[in-house]
Structures are given as structure tokens and as C-alpha cells.
Amino acid sequence: MIIKGGIVYDPANGIFGEEMDICIENGRIAEDAGGEVIDARGLLVMPGGVDAHSHIAGPKLNTGRIMRPDDSRMGTEPRTRVCRPSTGYTVPNCYAIGYRYARLGYTTAFEAATPIIEARHTHEELEEIPIVDKGALTLFGSNWTVMECVRENDLGRLAAYVAWGLRAARGYGVKIVNPGGGEAWGFGSNVKSVHDPVPHFDVTPAQIIRALAEVNERLRLPHSIHLHFNNLGRPGNYTTAIETLELLKDIKPSRMRQVVHVAHMQFSAYGGTGWKDFESKASVIADYFNQTDHATMDLGQIIFGPATTMTADAPLEYANARIGHQKWSNHDIELEESSGVVPWVYMRKMPVNAVQWAIGLELALLTRDPWKVVMTTDHPNGGPFVNYPEIISLLMSREKREEEMKTLHEVVRSRSTLPSIEREMDWSEIVIMTRAAPARILGLEDKGHLGTGADADISIYSIKPDEIDPSKDHAKVKAGMSRAKYTIKGGVVVVRDGEVVAAPQGRTYWVDAAVPESEMDRMLSALKEKFERYYSIRMSNYMVQDAYLSNPFVVRAGVQPLKEVI
């Protein structure tokens, strides 16, 4: 296949809007090729989109679907020759997730949080999501074995457990959510700061975060720790964010990437002493990222309208339910986590929501290096991912932002810096934030760029960069980015003129990390006893088996000397 004459943006390879041809052979970018020719003269061409943080699979999604029959009636689409029926808006069915990502030009999406014990369900749903490549991050932040290893300062055993946990869950990376808070919630409490001890374990969130970060580097995992801060969603929590990031400044990365990726930063950039004087502290957070190089973040941008919040931060969901007088699902996940689900609506005239909306945009626009910021809505917590074109048009047009602010509560002008920000992003910066940076942050070497040998995941949009001005033509930008003219996944055209024309099965990425035999044997001895005494499930019925992944892609990692974990 040859894509001829497109205006190509591939920042990872130093290409910033050049007219050129792209050749595809055997599902990868090649020097030469024959076969089908796609006429892309003058059109915007870029690598397929990569979503580094999205909630797309697992029991929490089904809980959200059960709690929201109203949502299932939104976004319904009938069966076609290629597609199964689609339902839902904030919690769409599995098929709709794959089709909608592909229509946007996205070809990869990672589930942001799954406990090991529920990983089988997560993979059952990932298997049903068509087209996109995917993976799932594994929760470790309130896990009993993790906290015991931290308390005993036994990083060798902790590394063995993380390696075993990733294999058991067929997981891709280490996710930490409100560390220690999930365990405290079992006693109706929460940890109040990074130095607040977790009940009955005598460890602090700071110790948990630091130990998992060190082990993450010891195992040479492709992705860094992926961190949801303590005190997320509370006024004044920007100090917790800065304090936590400072804990990790001196850790050396084992790969060419960050030491920590911060999830949905918008929810942790809050000032004020309460909701009455709630204000943005995005400028403080952005300044920190501008002055340091060990951290990256995704936005967690909110979208006005319905959302469904779901997180392993169970105390947060309890607070959300109380504040919003909403339905609430609470889930105790044995020795590993706790979680909750609460339906939500973000309103333009609600002062807090207006400032939250501004904070996400401020973080993107005030952080100078786009390689440190990934565009997300923390789907579906901040809103559905199908709204990414709206965010792109806001980032590229100050005029668009001004128009939107006129429809919001007036506090958006006094409690954020957004009205004073003149920056308008260009196409290269958008491609970095939605493709190149998330791929690099996740450690996906063959994605996010169009160099020879890369996956042939490509998006072509009915947008002519040489003819439109995104600053003024923001409506055309939003419309064009909403439905790709072509989405090519692994060398196969899956979307043509905005319609799904093929739905191949994507790959599932997971990391197989090896550790010294002695450490693994020592860890397993203690773990087997824990299963006998506390778990409601036998260890033999716990792990995700190979049969759960029909198209796996295994990334090798680990410490030396190596031994395959069992």
C-alpha cells in the first residue's frame, strides 16, 4: 500500500508537515511498497492515535452499565455488514469502544486500572473490543503483599511479586491509586497525606510509592509507575501532588522515559481550602513540570455533560456520591484494592465544574514541552473519549476558548489563568500529545511514529493543513478530527470516509518480567500461605491463562540473572 501526497506530521522522526508518500508492507512502514494506492494529496496524515489512560474494560465498566440504563440508550447504532450493534455514551459496549476509537483515528488504547483478581474479566472484555491494540495496567497500591514487603524493606521480594502479579494479570505496568487508601477504606477511613500510616500495616503512601518506583526500575519495565495521587479531587490537593513528585526526583530511570506518569492531573491541581474558594493551581503544577524532567502527565480534561466516574479510589467515590446525591457502587476487592462507581454530570454554570474545565486546558497550554503532556479525559471519569476533537479545537484556538468561556460560570475568569493564555497549539504539538508522547511514555517502540519498521497505524483526515487556520476554523478542525477519512490499522484500512469497513482483532500487550529464582521462590512461599488463609479463590484459579488472550504481544523485561516467573 502507498499513501501518496499527504501532509505528514511525524514529530518523533523530525517531520513537521511535509508533503510525502508513505509505504506499507506486511503491516509495517516500509521504504518501498506496491499494491493499493490511497490518494491523500493535501490531507492531514499522522500516526494512529494512542490513548494511554482510559477505562475500557473490567467489572467496573459493567457496574457502570448496570447503574446507568439511561446511558445504554444513548449512542445506539444498528448492526451493519461489518459492525455489531453499539450502545452507550459514557459506558459504551465493547464493540462501540473499538469502532469509535477507530473513527477518531485511534489505533491503541490502554485500560488504566485492573486488580489482579479481576484481570480475567478485564481480558474477556478487551478480547471483545475490535480493531485497536490494547493493554491493561495492574493495581498494586493497596495490595497486602506489597505493603508487607515495603514494611520489611524487602525490595527483592517486592520485585518478584510485581513480576508475578503482571504475569498473573497479563498486565502491562504498575498502577498505583491513592496508595494505602484502598486498605484504609476497609475500615471506613482514608489516608490523609503521603505520610499518614496505613491501618494495620505501619507503612505510609510515600513508602509505597517510592518502593514501587524503585522496583519498577529494577525490573526495567517499559512503562514507569502510573500514579493516581492521594487526596485526588479535593480542594488544596496541589500540595500533595508536588510533595509526591518530590519523593521521586532522585530515582534514575532504567529506560529512556520518565520515572513517574501522573494520571489525570486535572483532578490533582486544585487550590482553595474548600469548594467555596476552590481555584486552579494549574500554573503551579505546570511550573513544576517545566523545571523538572522525571515526570509526565495526562490531562483528565472534563467535558460538559454526562460522565460516569469509576476508580479504585473508593473513598473519593463515597465523597462524590455524598456531594452529588448520586447512586453509588462500592466494591471491596479482597486483599488488593477497593473501588467505586458514581454517575456524574459536569455543568457549565456550576462554578467548580467551570474551573475544572479550565484547569485541564491550562495544564496543557502552560506546560511548555508537549512530550510531557498526554491528552485524555480519563474516560469516562472526565467525559467520553469521543470528545477528543473538542479538546483539540480548544487547544488550537484562543477564539474557541473565549467563545466557550462566555457560556460558563463567571468564576472561570477569576479563579483560573485560562483567559490570559494566548498560546495556540499547532499540528505538531497535537500529534505529540495524542500519538508520539503517549507511545513513548508507555514504552511502545513501534507506535506513535511513522519510521521504517513501525506499525502501520495511520490516520488521514479530511483537513488540509495548508488551507485552514485552526485558530479561526476551529469548527472545521473539530468536524474533521471527529471522523477520519482513513484509519489504517496494521496496514489494513479499517475506516474509510468515517465509516468502519473492517474490524480485525487487535493485539493485547503485556509484560513478562523475569527475576532471580531465589527471590521468586521466597515470594511464592509466603504468597501461597496468604491464598490459603485469606483469599476466597484458589491460587490455581487466579491467574489469567494464555487462552484468555487470542492475539498477545509479550514485552520482555526483568532483572539479571533471569528466570521465567511461574
Side-chain angles (χ1 to χ4, degrees), residues 44-49 105-106 435 457-461 486-488:
L44 180 64
V45 178
M46 60 182 71
Y106 273 66
R435 274 88 173 154
D457 296 351
I458 303 169
S459 312
I460 305 172
Y461 296 97
Y486 291 94
T487 300
I488 299 167

Side-chain angles (χ1 to χ4, degrees), residues 342-413:
V342 175
W344 202 255
V345 178
Y346 295 104
M347 294 180 281
R348 292 175 178 272
K349 294 299 184 182
M350 178 68 73
V352 171
N353 294 163
V355 176
Q356 286 179 305
W357 174 85
I359 290 173
L361 298 174
E362 287 179 281
L363 289 168
L365 294 165
L366 293 174
T367 304
R368 290 191 291 269
D369 184 354
W371 289 93
K372 295 180 178 178
V373 189
V374 171
M375 192 186 73
T376 69
T377 59
D378 185 21
H379 167 89
N381 287 286
F385 66 81
V386 293
N387 294 287
Y388 285 171
E390 167 75 4
I391 303 172
I392 291 171
S393 63
L394 287 164
L395 294 175
M396 300 187 81
S397 172
R398 187 181 186 190
E399 178 181 286
K400 163 83 170 173
R401 298 196 293 270
E402 281 294 329
E403 289 177 4
E404 287 296 311
M405 281 189 281
K406 291 176 183 175
T407 71
L408 308 183
H409 194 282
E410 60 188 13
V411 299
V412 73
R413 295 190 175 277

Side-chain angles (χ1 to χ4, degrees), residues 60-71:
K60 60 186 181 295
L61 267 294
N62 267 356
T63 300
R65 292 169 184 137
I66 292 167
M67 293 174 70
R68 299 208 58 177
D70 57 313
D71 191 84

Side-chain angles (χ1 to χ4, degrees), residues 45 127 158 208 216 225 247 400 455 473 481 539 543:
V45 178
E127 282 287 301
L158 179 58
I208 296 170
N216 198 93
I225 60 167
L247 294 171
K400 163 83 170 173
D455 289 349
D473 301 324
M481 298 299 289
M539 195 170 178
M543 297 183 73

Side-chain angles (χ1 to χ4, degrees), residues 265-540:
M265 188 74 237
Q266 178 272 133
F267 292 108
S268 294
Y270 298 167
T273 59
W275 296 116
K276 289 185 178 180
D277 63 351
F278 175 75
E279 63 178 351
S280 170
K281 287 295 181 181
S283 60
V284 179
I285 296 293
D287 283 347
Y288 185 89
F289 276 77
N290 287 335
Q291 295 168 16
T292 57
D293 292 317
H294 67 296
T296 57
M297 62 170 141
D298 61 79
L299 292 180
Q301 174 68 37
I302 73 158
I303 299 294
F304 294 113
T308 301
T309 65
M310 52 183 63
T311 174
D313 192 339
L316 170 67
E317 290 292 40
Y318 174 70
N320 283 343
R322 293 288 298 271
I323 292 172
H325 304 288
Q326 291 282 357
K327 291 182 283 188
W328 168 49
S329 168
N330 180 59
H331 185 28
D332 177 50
I333 310 173
E334 302 202 9
L335 284 64
E336 300 181 8
E337 276 294 348
S338 59
S339 67
V341 178
V342 175
W344 202 255
V345 178
Y346 295 104
M347 294 180 281
R348 292 175 178 272
K349 294 299 184 182
M350 178 68 73
V352 171
N353 294 163
V355 176
Q356 286 179 305
W357 174 85
I359 290 173
L361 298 174
E362 287 179 281
L363 289 168
L365 294 165
L366 293 174
T367 304
R368 290 191 291 269
D369 184 354
W371 289 93
K372 295 180 178 178
V373 189
V374 171
M375 192 186 73
T376 69
T377 59
D378 185 21
H379 167 89
N381 287 286
F385 66 81
V386 293
N387 294 287
Y388 285 171
E390 167 75 4
I391 303 172
I392 291 171
S393 63
L394 287 164
L395 294 175
M396 300 187 81
S397 172
R398 187 181 186 190
E399 178 181 286
K400 163 83 170 173
R401 298 196 293 270
E402 281 294 329
E403 289 177 4
E404 287 296 311
M405 281 189 281
K406 291 176 183 175
T407 71
L408 308 183
H409 194 282
E410 60 188 13
V411 299
V412 73
R413 295 190 175 277
S414 60
R415 298 188 186 181
S416 80
T417 64
L418 189 62
S420 66
I421 299 175
E422 297 183 356
R423 182 180 177 186
E424 294 176 325
M425 289 191 165
D426 59 27
W427 285 116
S428 294
E429 291 170 316
I430 294 298
V431 173
I432 291 171
M433 289 183 66
T434 58
R435 274 88 173 154
R440 179 179 292 182
I441 287 167
L442 287 169
L444 301 172
E445 297 177 352
D446 294 337
K447 295 190 178 296
H449 70 97
L450 299 174
T452 301
D455 289 349
D457 296 351
I458 303 169
S459 312
I460 305 172
Y461 296 97
S462 296
I463 294 173
K464 295 192 173 182
D466 293 342
E467 296 182 8
I468 74 164
D469 176 3
S471 175
K472 304 296 182 186
D473 301 324
H474 46 80
K476 292 181 180 177
V477 169
K478 180 179 176 180
M481 298 299 289
S482 295
R483 289 203 171 230
K485 185 170 181 60
Y486 291 94
T487 300
I488 299 167
K489 171 70 179 61
V492 176
V493 175
V494 294
V495 170
R496 180 180 284 116
D497 294 326
E499 300 298 329
V500 176
V501 296
Q505 177 74 9
R507 294 174 294 184
T508 301
Y509 283 68
W510 69 278
V511 172
D512 192 2
V515 297
E517 182 175 356
S518 59
E519 299 289 6
M520 182 58 67
D521 291 343
R522 190 164 63 88
M523 185 282 294
L524 283 174
S525 176
L527 187 62
K528 288 174 182 174
E529 181 182 349
K530 193 168 270 70
F531 268 87
E532 291 295 326
R533 295 188 62 182
Y534 300 114
Y535 269 107
S536 66
I537 185 173
R538 293 283 183 182
M539 195 170 178
S540 57

